[in-house]
Amino acid sequence: MPIEFFAKVSVFCFLASYLVALGLDAARLLKRLPVARWVGLVFGLAGFAAQTGYLLIRGRQENLPPLLSSPHDWLLVLAWIVVLLYLFLTVVDRELAVGLFLLPIVLLFVGASYLVSKQPNPLIAGNLGLVKLHASLLVLGIAGVVVGVMLSLMYVVQHRRLKQHHASQPGVLLPSLARLARWNWWAVVVSVPVLTLGLGSGVALGLTSQKAGAVLSFSDPIVLGHGIVWVAMMSLFVWLLATRRSTGKQVAALTLWAGGFLLAILLGLQVLSLTTFHSGAKTSWWEKHCKVPSAKCKVQSDNADATQCSSLCTLHFALCTLYLPSSCFASLEARA
Amino acid sequence: MNLQVVYCNHQSANLSIRERLAFAGDKLEAAYRELADRFRSAEFVVLSTCNRVEVYSAQESPDASPTRKQIAEFVSDFHRVPLEEFSDELLAETGPDAVRHLFRVASSLDSMVLGEPQIVNQVKEAYRVAQDHNACGPLTHAMFQGAIRVSARVRSETRLAEGRISMASVAVSDFGRGIFDRFDNKRVLILGAGEMAEETLRYLCEEGVRQITVVNRSLENAEKLAAQFAAVGARSRSWDALDEELARADMIVSTTGATEPVVDVNRFRAARRRSGEKPVFILDLGAPRDFAPAIADLDDNVFLYDIDALEVTCEQNRKSRYREIEKAQVIVDEEAERFMQDVYHMATGPIVKRLREQWHDVSRDELERLRSKLSHLSPADLEVVERGIERIVNKLLHPPLEALRHEAKQGTPHGLIDALKRLFHV
């Protein structure tokens, strides 16, 4: 099939496919529908094919691998890896309820890709090898954390079922607690070193870029965010290796917290951050929607360098992250 | 003639009620004494298992048979449980429905785990114990022997006994497999050495369990059971080693007949201190329960299941085999109908016998008279006369007996029996 076939594929195409696949998986909670499994798989495969084609087209347009084209493509590559895992597990064990856990994360990544910049970063051209390594390691590390989060969620659901004596639903099965705990342990233990290497390569990239005279700061919100996440994940990693008598539920809870934190920071920073080395965008969703602080940043950026502005906007991001949900709750309460 | 069953089971009453009404251990002997004192002429069989408490009664005369209320009062007085606490959960069936109920129970159609083999042995044991206490009579003999026969027929003519057919298999497949992904490296502790323990062990061995310890109050019984599974490394230990084994076990199956929990919260907490918070799967198949329910809340890795916790899983298992249920139900209905006809027919037996005897006595008297008056007849001629008279008697007897047999298909023909008695002075 020629790649041009995918030229008209939009993000919405595969987003809708994954949404239907998730809906069909969710329908099996209500009623055992063997056909839903197969139809869901077909939608998943269709979405995967469309996404693959879309990423290849994007890579060709930007003349860069999809992983490096833009934050938009980077998020889609991350989603693509998770979809691949979903399809593999679904084909291997048709009874496993992986779609219910993995597809929402896929939808989150694909949905978030709408909100981030599609423009390629002009600064990566000089260090393509190191940038490739940095982006690949980070994406693999984050995919590992996503798997850990999924396994932890499965653990919590399975644990709750067993504790509350609920019978398992045929066609929507979960692995045993022992297996989930073991896989979760490995997911964290493998992904954290990969993340560490990813951050390490990022530091090396930053240093080489600064030497080359590029405007790059370690106070970039994404760099800072990833650093904080890394500390959280590394704490979990050390705790896992040091604690001999940790229970599966403790590991699952900590992975959920640390992994959830990582996803929130990752998506939050990608979506909300200003013009940074990582976003490569002139205007972001953040700038479009949070006018006053953005304006302040704009003023600052006229007077000071971009580094200072980025730090301010990191604080702004934190405030807005707190503000947006609280305003939603307030409006819901008002409606009630 | 009156057949009756007063019962509560896993569908009508929860375990907390059933365990208080159970006739476990020595209680059964006292129960039969009490029943004999209260209802002197009735026949009784008491069936008490983890899933049911049932009192079967039968009486030739309907007027003197114990009522549901009287049986309920007996249960209440015997266990010292106020009647109002379980009155709503206590069900009753009479006549053909009582027979059908027993046949369903013995065929395991009424069991939590459809097709489970233990119930027919429990029915046999209940019948044997009733016989030992001279509580059985012709009706209960017929009922229980019929039930055992029906159970065998259901087992051989349907596929009800295939698949997951024990509590242990249902619990392990749904819950045990949700906790562990393999069993060959798990330490299994069996508390109790009865039939259910044996059945559970057999299933666990099929699942690959290789480290089994049987602990029982009677070490001799524990040794006997462990010896049966010596090939897979089963061993027995005395009751004193219970605390040590509780701490070592990954999986505990308890099937004792104890009337009080054998493991309370403090005892298990001490065991957890020694074992750490490793996952432990406890399957409490005892009724009354062997493990205090609060043990489930000790920590996140204690997974305790009693019989009631398996109810939903068993229902799913049941639904998956509804076609076999239908086939078995047809057999049960057919056998119950045949049994009732036999019973009704049995009720007409004495009148038929007396009528035959009376008429044959008359014919014999007349033959003697003929012999003395017609002495010139040869023995061959006399034999011809004798056969002729016998044929006449049988032909005369045939219409009333046929009417009696026909009526007996619908129930005991009390009206016809009375009419025959009055007409022929029998």
Side-chain angles (χ1 to χ4, degrees):
Chain A
M1 188 184 293
I3 198 161
E4 285 69 27
F5 178 79
F6 294 104
K8 287 185 179 173
V9 169
S10 67
V11 174
F12 180 76
C13 293
F14 45 89
L15 183 75
S17 292
Y18 299 144
L19 204 60
V20 173
L22 177 64
L24 288 166
D25 264 9
R28 288 164 60 224
L29 289 174
L30 305 172
K31 197 175 179 185
R32 190 174 188 184
L33 300 165
V35 69
R37 184 93 198 152
W38 291 107
V39 178
L41 186 61
V42 168
F43 271 93
L45 278 168
F48 181 73
Q51 190 177 356
T52 309
Y54 178 85
L55 284 171
L56 289 173
I57 294 278
R58 286 276 307 155
R60 187 178 278 188
Q61 284 169 353
E62 304 295 345
N63 206 20
L64 278 169
L67 198 58
L68 307 180
S69 303
S70 66
H72 169 81
D73 300 282
W74 187 85
L75 274 176
L76 288 181
V77 170
L78 190 56
W80 185 87
I81 293 172
V82 182
V83 174
L84 189 66
L85 185 70
Y86 156 71
L87 292 173
F88 173 74
L89 291 175
T90 306
V91 170
V92 167
D93 190 340
R94 284 183 290 118
E95 295 293 300
L96 273 184
V98 282
L100 291 172
F101 296 88
L102 281 179
L103 287 175
I105 298 176
V106 171
L107 292 173
L108 191 71
F109 286 152
V110 177
S113 74
Y114 264 119
L115 307 173
V116 297
S117 168
K118 282 187 180 178
Q119 294 171 25
N121 194 316
L123 298 173
I124 59 171
N127 296 293
L128 197 58
L130 199 54
V131 172
K132 264 187 192 171
L133 180 72
H134 170 60
S136 309
L137 287 170
L138 273 185
V139 90
L140 285 175
I142 291 167
V145 174
V146 167
V147 170
V149 168
M150 177 205 73
L151 292 169
S152 301
L153 267 175
M154 282 183 166
Y155 189 99
V156 170
V157 172
Q158 179 76 306
H159 187 273
R160 189 180 154 85
R161 174 184 87 78
L162 291 166
K163 268 288 190 186
Q164 298 189 349
H165 307 155
H166 293 159
S168 59
Q169 282 187 290
V172 194
L173 299 180
L174 294 175
S176 69
L177 292 182
R179 185 167 294 178
L180 287 170
R182 195 168 57 245
W183 287 351
N184 191 18
W185 192 90
W186 279 108
V188 175
V189 164
V190 170
S191 62
V192 172
V194 175
L195 268 182
T196 307
L197 290 173
L199 277 177
S201 59
V203 170
L205 184 67
L207 291 172
T208 48
S209 299
Q210 276 180 340
K211 276 181 188 170
V215 183
L216 171 68
S217 168
F218 290 109
S219 59
D220 178 315
I222 292 184
V223 176
L224 277 177
H226 279 127
I228 295 166
V229 165
W230 178 81
V231 170
M233 292 306 297
M234 191 46 107
S235 308
L236 174 63
F237 177 78
V238 171
W239 179 81
L240 274 183
L241 293 181
T243 313
R244 288 190 178 177
R245 306 192 87 176
S246 60
T247 66
K249 200 178 176 197
Q250 285 171 325
V251 177
L254 283 172
T255 310
L256 270 180
W257 275 108
F261 182 53
L262 179 141
L263 291 179
I265 291 281
L266 170 82
L267 294 176
L269 287 178
Q270 289 287 0
V271 171
L272 299 172
S273 67
L274 260 175
T275 308
T276 71
F277 177 77
H278 282 85
S279 71
K282 301 276 185 210
T283 36
S284 66
W285 182 90
W286 171 252
E287 280 185 318
K288 284 178 197 164
H289 294 85
C290 296
K291 300 288 184 197
V292 178
S294 297
K296 194 175 177 184
C297 284
K298 185 94 172 65
V299 173
Q300 289 237 347
S301 64
D302 290 341
N303 303 324
D305 65 11
T307 309
Q308 285 171 316
C309 185
S310 304
S311 306
L312 267 172
C313 288
T314 307
L315 177 66
H316 181 193
F317 153 70
L319 289 172
C320 201
T321 310
L322 288 172
Y323 169 74
L324 286 176
S326 61
S327 59
C328 285
F329 286 130
S331 70
L332 282 174
E333 273 178 17
R335 272 190 203 177
Chain B
M1 182 176 306
N2 194 34
L3 300 168
Q4 182 180 244
V5 56
V6 178
Y7 67 100
C8 66
N9 62 13
H10 60 98
Q11 287 158 331
S12 70
N14 61 33
L15 186 56
S16 59
I17 290 286
R18 297 199 310 269
E19 64 189 0
R20 291 167 74 195
L21 304 183
F23 293 93
D26 298 339
K27 281 186 177 176
L28 207 50
E29 192 177 341
Y32 277 116
R33 271 202 307 272
E34 179 80 22
L35 282 168
D37 284 348
R38 289 194 184 205
F39 316 102
R40 292 195 175 275
S41 55
E43 305 170 25
F44 286 102
V45 177
V46 177
L47 174 63
S48 180
T49 72
C50 53
N51 280 328
R52 63 191 68 252
V53 178
E54 307 195 332
V55 180
Y56 290 87
S57 61
Q59 179 105 16
E60 286 285 351
S61 160
D63 307 332
S65 63
T67 61
R68 176 195 178 276
K69 189 170 173 249
Q70 285 172 316
I71 297 288
E73 282 169 356
F74 151 75
V75 174
S76 167
D77 295 345
F78 185 84
H79 291 292
R80 295 198 175 88
V81 179
L83 191 55
E84 52 276 14
E85 283 188 25
F86 66 92
S87 181
D88 292 343
E89 281 93 344
L90 210 59
L91 308 174
E93 307 284 357
T94 55
D97 291 339
V99 174
R100 202 170 290 117
H101 176 80
L102 175 62
F103 288 4
R104 279 178 58 83
V105 168
S107 308
S108 95
L109 279 170
D110 204 48
S111 297
M112 257 177 91
V113 182
L114 204 66
E116 51 108 351
Q118 293 100 337
I119 186 64
V120 68
N121 293 332
Q122 287 163 335
V123 168
K124 282 179 189 170
E125 180 63 11
Y127 173 44
R128 188 193 65 73
V129 173
Q131 282 177 295
D132 289 350
H133 291 90
N134 297 317
C136 285
L139 285 170
T140 43
H141 277 306
M143 251 175 104
F144 276 78
Q145 284 166 10
I148 293 161
R149 192 182 60 247
V150 173
S151 162
R153 204 183 142 197
V154 167
R155 202 161 290 276
S156 63
E157 293 180 24
T158 70
R159 294 166 64 193
L160 214 60
E162 290 177 13
R164 292 190 286 163
I165 52 159
S166 67
M167 288 271 191
S169 63
V170 169
V172 170
S173 60
D174 203 19
F175 296 116
R177 288 198 176 284
I179 300 166
F180 306 121
D181 53 349
R182 52 190 284 205
F183 294 98
D184 58 337
N185 61 349
K186 300 290 174 292
R187 289 177 187 276
V188 176
L189 170 63
I190 306 284
L191 290 182
E195 193 192 347
M196 195 172 269
E198 186 184 333
E199 185 68 31
T200 304
L201 263 179
R202 192 164 292 121
Y203 172 73
L204 291 175
C205 289
E206 286 170 16
E207 285 293 314
V209 169
R210 291 293 174 268
Q211 298 175 65
I212 301 162
T213 306
V214 182
V215 173
N216 191 44
R217 283 195 196 278
S218 155
L219 181 59
E220 192 187 341
N221 289 346
E223 282 169 348
K224 271 187 202 164
L225 182 60
Q228 287 183 49
F229 296 90
V232 289
R235 63 190 189 122
S236 58
R237 293 202 69 185
S238 71
W239 194 253
D240 299 337
L242 178 59
D243 291 317
E244 190 189 328
E245 291 298 333
L246 283 174
R248 284 158 58 99
D250 300 300
M251 188 169 162
I252 303 168
V253 183
S254 185
T255 65
T256 79
T259 51
E260 296 290 327
V262 292
V263 182
D264 60 17
V265 175
N266 289 332
R267 187 172 203 171
F268 200 74
R269 188 181 284 124
R272 290 299 277 172
R273 270 191 223 111
R274 292 164 71 178
S275 69
E277 287 194 18
K278 64 175 182 175
V280 60
F281 171 43
I282 306 168
L283 187 54
D284 184 354
L285 301 179
R289 282 171 278 202
D290 294 329
F291 281 72
I295 285 173
D297 303 322
L298 273 182
D299 64 61
D300 280 337
N301 277 336
V302 176
F303 300 94
L304 170 62
Y305 301 90
D306 60 27
I307 292 164
D308 274 4
L310 306 177
E311 181 80 50
V312 179
T313 308
C314 291
E315 191 53 36
Q316 281 185 355
N317 185 38
R318 167 180 287 273
K319 279 180 185 165
S320 67
R321 288 193 275 166
Y322 70 97
R323 283 198 182 134
E324 298 307 310
I325 299 177
E326 282 176 4
K327 278 188 208 165
Q329 190 59 53
V330 168
I331 296 172
V332 165
D333 290 344
E334 191 183 302
E335 289 282 347
E337 192 180 341
R338 189 180 299 163
F339 174 84
M340 288 313 295
Q341 283 177 14
D342 290 348
V343 167
Y344 297 142
H345 188 65
M346 212 159 69
T348 64
I351 187 86
V352 171
K353 191 181 169 199
R354 270 180 280 162
L355 200 60
R356 277 182 186 279
E357 281 173 358
Q358 187 176 319
W359 286 32
H360 282 291
D361 285 348
V362 171
S363 70
R364 265 195 299 275
D365 289 347
E366 289 306 314
L367 263 174
E368 284 305 313
R369 208 167 292 153
L370 277 175
R371 272 201 189 105
S372 58
K373 281 186 181 173
L374 304 169
S375 53
H376 60 278
L377 290 179
S378 67
D381 293 336
L382 271 174
E383 198 180 325
V384 171
V385 171
E386 199 175 319
R387 278 192 190 160
I389 290 175
E390 197 176 328
R391 270 202 302 276
I392 291 166
V393 169
N394 283 341
K395 280 182 179 173
L396 288 173
L397 267 173
H398 181 74
L401 293 188
E402 194 52 38
L404 208 53
R405 192 175 295 123
H406 181 74
E407 283 287 303
K409 284 181 183 172
Q410 312 302 322
T412 308
H414 293 292
L416 199 56
I417 289 171
D418 284 345
L420 287 170
K421 280 179 183 171
R422 289 172 65 187
L423 283 170
F424 300 107
H425 299 286
V426 287

